[in-house]
Amino acid sequence: NISHVVFDKTGTLTQGLLAVEREIYPTGEGTTLGPMILGLTSSSKHPVSTAIAAHLKSTVTKADELKNVTSIAGCGIEATWGVENIRAGNPHWLGVENLPEVKNILSLGVSIFCITVNKGLVAVYGLKDSLRPDTTAVINELRRRNIEISIVSGDNEESVKSVSRTLDLPESHVRFRCSPADKQTYIKEISTAKNIVMFCGDGTNDAVALAQASIGMHVNGGTDIAQSAADAVLIRPALGGVLVLIDLSKTFYRRVVFNFTWSFVYNTFAILLAAGAFPNARIPPQYAGLGEIVSVLPVIAIGVQLRWAKFTNFRA
């Protein structure tokens, strides 16, 4: 009965394998700040932090040790570097979205990661991600089935809209700069008795939305917290599993209905037969037990047939 599928962007519609496209150090201290930034980003499993850490490891030999590292869902990371207060993440959370260096990278339509030291901007990174190979095909198939599609993401407006334009999704179904609570609120708003919502996500930021949706689908490779909040998990890192789950549930439901119908009709007839409702029909007692096998075997056979059922799937 799924009528609306809501996707997270980074790591769900996209592969989550970000690469640094642009880096700016407003204070000109990129070499000095490298060890600190590496220490900060190495402490997080978020795809953005992982990409920056990988980028810095080619030039930085040793990471600085930071203290009091705290991850703030939907915003970024806070830590202490010596006596300095370090904050990194969403430029809107840091209050630096209007600075020229940030606007310059935002205009590229990439994900953005900013770092401040004592509220002063010291680094800006622009990261580019690519769609999963099967994303477009899955979105088109969902659209063909008259299932509505939305994107909710904590990423910046330009990056999210760039993906939505590629997938030809209306702006009314696109939400950006969403905190975990914003994602949950959106799911709650669109969920009605007639609108059954599936949410697909992978990160800690998606956990509450996964729990709020009628069906929460966790994408392989995400965090354990998100996986524990989901109803279903994609074992393969491919969105085609969304279609498999929908097809499987419909096929399973039809089999359950058939099995109940068959059992009801058969057992009604068997009870009447045993009660003597058919005077001219008799089964010798030694063979009556076989009637239970006749009832059960078709149910088992129909269930086992799911193994060979054909489902829509798009594989990379």
Side-chain angles (χ1 to χ4, degrees), residues 85-272:
N85 176 256
I86 310 299
R87 300 178 85 197
N90 190 316
H92 298 272
W93 174 59
L94 299 173
V96 297
E97 69 275 13
N98 294 320
L99 295 180
E101 298 87 351
V102 176
K103 284 187 172 181
N104 181 32
I105 291 184
L106 279 173
S107 64
L108 300 176
V110 295
S111 299
I112 190 167
F113 186 83
C114 300
I115 300 171
T116 63
V117 175
N118 296 329
K119 298 185 178 181
L121 184 66
V122 297
V124 185
Y125 293 92
L127 302 101
K128 193 169 184 62
D129 200 358
S130 56
L131 291 175
R132 292 183 183 274
D134 60 347
T135 294
T136 301
V138 170
I139 294 297
N140 289 338
E141 177 61 21
L142 289 172
R143 190 182 286 119
R144 189 188 67 79
R145 299 184 185 192
N146 295 318
I147 295 176
E148 291 191 77
I149 304 152
S150 295
I151 300 177
V152 292
S153 174
D155 210 343
N156 64 75
E157 179 179 358
E158 290 77 8
S159 179
V160 178
K161 286 187 174 180
S162 174
V163 171
S164 68
R165 284 192 292 269
T166 301
L167 299 174
D168 195 26
L169 298 179
E171 288 196 10
S172 60
H173 284 52
V174 177
R175 299 291 185 274
F176 45 85
R177 295 205 304 270
C178 292
S179 66
D182 293 333
K183 293 181 180 182
Q184 182 186 30
T185 300
Y186 180 72
I187 299 296
K188 191 180 294 185
E189 287 175 353
I190 63 176
S191 297
T192 64
K194 294 183 179 180
N195 192 30
I196 308 302
V197 179
M198 173 190 285
F199 178 78
C200 300
D202 69 309
T204 302
N205 297 348
D206 302 319
V208 290
L210 286 166
Q212 179 66 49
S214 301
I215 297 293
M217 172 70 87
H218 178 264
V219 179
N220 177 67
T223 65
D224 293 338
I225 293 175
Q227 182 170 323
S228 65
D231 300 294
V233 178
L234 290 179
I235 301 302
R236 296 193 186 101
L239 287 183
V242 172
L243 299 172
V244 171
L245 179 62
I246 294 173
D247 291 345
L248 175 62
S249 65
K250 289 180 178 179
T251 303
F252 179 86
Y253 180 78
R254 286 194 296 267
R255 278 166 166 72
V256 169
V257 170
F258 179 85
N259 284 340
F260 269 110
T261 303
W262 157 253
S263 297
F264 176 78
V265 172
Y266 178 86
N267 285 289
T268 299
F269 173 78
I271 290 171
L272 292 174

